Amino acid sequence: MRIDQVVAFTAAHSLEIQQLLNCYLKKDKNLFLRSDIWDEFKLFTETPQGAVLKESPLAEFFAKTQEAALVDNYLYLAVRPRVASWHYFQINIERPHCEGIPPTTYMRIKERLVDSVDEEWPLEIDLGPFESAFPKMSQTRSIGKGVDFLNRHLSGRLFQNLARGNELLLSFLRVHHHRDVPFMINGNIADIQTLRDNLLLGMELLEKQDLNTQWTDIAPLLKELGFEPGWGRKVSIIRDNFSLLADILEAPDYQSLEKFLSSIPMIFNIVIVSPHGYFGQDNVLGLPDTGGQVVYILDQVRALEKEIQVRIHEQGLDIKPRILIVSRLIPEADETTCAQPLEQVNDTDNVHILRVPFRDDNGEPIPQWISRFEVWPHLERFAGEVEKEILTELGCRPDLIIGNYSDGNLVAYLLSRQLKVTQCNIAHALEKTKYLFSALYWQNMEDKYHFSCQFTADLIAMNTADFIITSTYQEIAGSEHIVGQYESYANFTMPGLYRVLNGIDVFDPKFNIVSPGADERIYFSHQETSKRFYELTSEIERLVFGEVLPESRGCLIDQNKPTIFTMARLDKIKNITGLVEWYAGSEELQQKANLLIIGGCIEPDQSNDEEEIEQIHLMHALFDTHQLDGCVRWLGMRLDKRLTGELYRFLADQQGVFVQPAFFEAFGLTVIEAMSSGLPTFATRYGGPLEIIEDTISGFHIDPNHGAQSAESLTDFFKKSAIDPGYWNEISQNGLQRVKNHYTWQRYAKRLLSLSCVYGFWKFATNLEREETRRYLEMVYALRFRSSAKSVNPRGK
């Protein structure tokens, strides 16, 4: 898209463009989304007077417009010609002329829609000047591959002065120890030349040994040369690591450096922070603020522990790693274990949930659950107590702190700042993109959502993190027409609070895509009959085809039809009621398949979440209006993982499908679970499922905003499967292969630990050159976040 062509075309066709702009004026609204802008443009080009615009430079210009504001006979447009590239323009409606404007002008125009008072000196948060010298990527295809870029850039620069680079590497090797037991090298290696010489002597010594000879058999000889445990358990591994280091000291390259850094024993104790919800292993997944994040973390820690144990064993060490999941202790925890200060995670050797309470002004533990939107006043004190508890429990500093969601990431920032530990953030979902114009109209939503705290916490945590893990590219930078969750923090305004310029740069090398998987013990193909939990079949048949239960509505009359299955919380964003509406609107789909829903509660008085209560009422209204009780089964209950896994397979046996209809889904663990079980999957095109599923190959993309089309896609699938019995199996097998190749917890754990080692080295060697940014954000925390947090009055439930 060339702006000069747009400007020239506008000048040459002012009459037609004025007619177009008047179409927007007649809408009697001030803010337009991309769909509003583009739909109106397409309608106008179908008229005789608008035909000239159809193939014009202006067509691409309007197609790339993400949003627009109409103020005082000017149309102001935010144009995104490509991923993470933004430009702002204004067009006069009376005398059409297109010209560029700075982002601050565009933000000021939007602020006027909220507050007629034009504030002359608003607070502007701008991280650009502090980050200008830091290396950034330039290619959109490189987004999410930050560690590769960082290694190429910094290793080249670091080792331009080979002596300086080698000295840093030597210093880094010296710092590694566990409880005062040294690793890697000892005092017999005092300088680089000695390290080079002794590496050669060590390799000569190892050449004479059998590859399976153990470290303990040659330890005295290697210790005399200055080498301590950590190089490997047996000679074959030690030789590889000696050779790698010798190559790096002689002629470094970034791939060898990454491989060597990943082999150094650095990670023994990990703290994973998830403070806001009910975090437990049983009876919690249906409670507010609990769900996918709990499943993610529990699967994550099991995979991490196994991978750390493998690495420690191969490194020749006898250390038991520890992982602590830090969450909130809730004294009034109903039937959950969330009132226990310490709980071991099932199927692990040394992973525990450490729970610390929030406290009131008198220092007393707050007994009840508090919504994730209202935890902000408690987090600073919570972080202080957590610091003491983890030091006591571990007996030392952790080696890595991982934050989860906005509150957990803020606590991770406070902990890593105090303990000087590598900080990793995982957002899971950023609320900013979930709610329409959430930043602009933050004051209207403040009582319920407290976005002033949340968005400020996000800005601080994402910019102080040493590295950020995302599940998909979409999460960072979106797609051609959809803004990424992180990208949405680049420029925005919260009128009366602050404007943000250069809030986050998605080309920053701290971003890395590391996709999770599904628990392979639970979610496996329906064809793997020897592993299946057939003892649960009668229970599943009762749940799916049984009579009405206290926690259910509807009975499936025709049990010979395949089943459309969906499972999620009853949040509006999950769009479960939307799926029911699509189904209700298609008689043909009702004839082809039943619908099974697992989510929420059946009765409104069983929930204390306002949004869920609203969705419960809507669900009952849909059942009543469309008389769905004979073809839709709604279960308001929580299923344990084994039952869920076998349910997927049970429905796959019946040639059913899984549907994930959310308006937006950051990743989509249920999508992975269903595909892992062999159940063909239809999922939203907005968010992670767009990357997980190859459309029409390993599943299907659906648009939640076009329910009739989605229902038609489901109907077509069942028709095609009836005509060609092999079609269902083809999609099923492709989905299984897709997950196996890209989405497993073993792959995840290996990558996350390697990233931790590499970023740990660069943090040591350069402090990632971000001290100015950190100091600036400390000021933002002290002056902006703390004052916003104090204004929150939590409503315990």
Side-chain angles (χ1 to χ4, degrees), residues 272-283:
I272 295 175
V273 188
S274 179
H276 66 259
Y278 283 90
F279 199 108
Q281 301 178 80
D282 301 302
N283 302 318

Side-chain angles (χ1 to χ4, degrees), residues 21 24-25 29-32 68-77 89-94 105-116 118 440-441:
L21 298 180
Y24 296 112
L25 196 60
K29 59 193 293 188
N30 297 112
L31 278 174
F32 297 86
L70 188 60
V71 179
D72 297 338
N73 281 323
Y74 277 89
L75 187 66
Y76 298 89
L77 305 105
F89 300 91
Q90 64 180 21
I91 304 177
N92 187 309
I93 295 177
E94 295 180 351
T105 300
Y106 181 74
M107 283 190 264
R108 190 171 70 247
I109 293 300
K110 287 175 67 176
E111 289 162 3
R112 286 175 56 192
L113 298 176
V114 177
D115 189 345
S116 58
D118 193 354
L440 184 64
Y441 291 108

Side-chain angles (χ1 to χ4, degrees), residues 429-438 455 483-489 573 664:
L430 293 165
E431 301 285 342
K432 188 169 174 294
T433 53
K434 285 186 180 181
Y435 301 86
L436 196 58
F437 298 117
S438 57
F455 297 169
V483 179
Q485 293 184 66
Y486 280 97
E487 183 187 358
S488 72
Y489 282 79
I573 193 102
F664 179 84

Side-chain angles (χ1 to χ4, degrees), residues 13 78 123 136 198 253 309 332 340 356 398 466 603 706:
H13 297 84
L123 172 62
K136 301 289 174 67
N198 289 7
D253 72 84
Q309 288 172 338
E332 294 179 3
Q340 292 182 15
V356 176
D466 295 299
E603 299 300 331
H706 295 88

Side-chain angles (χ1 to χ4, degrees), residues 45 51 54 58 93 143 192 245 263 280 380 382 389 410 415 417 448 460 508 516 545 553 592 603-604 669 744:
T45 59
K54 199 166 193 175
L58 203 66
I93 295 177
I143 292 172
I192 282 294
L245 180 56
S263 73
E380 186 173 318
F382 175 79
E389 292 288 342
L410 186 73
L415 290 172
R417 176 178 175 271
K448 184 174 182 180
I460 293 168
D508 195 304
F545 296 125
R553 177 167 182 179
K592 297 290 181 187
E603 299 300 331
L669 276 176
T744 69

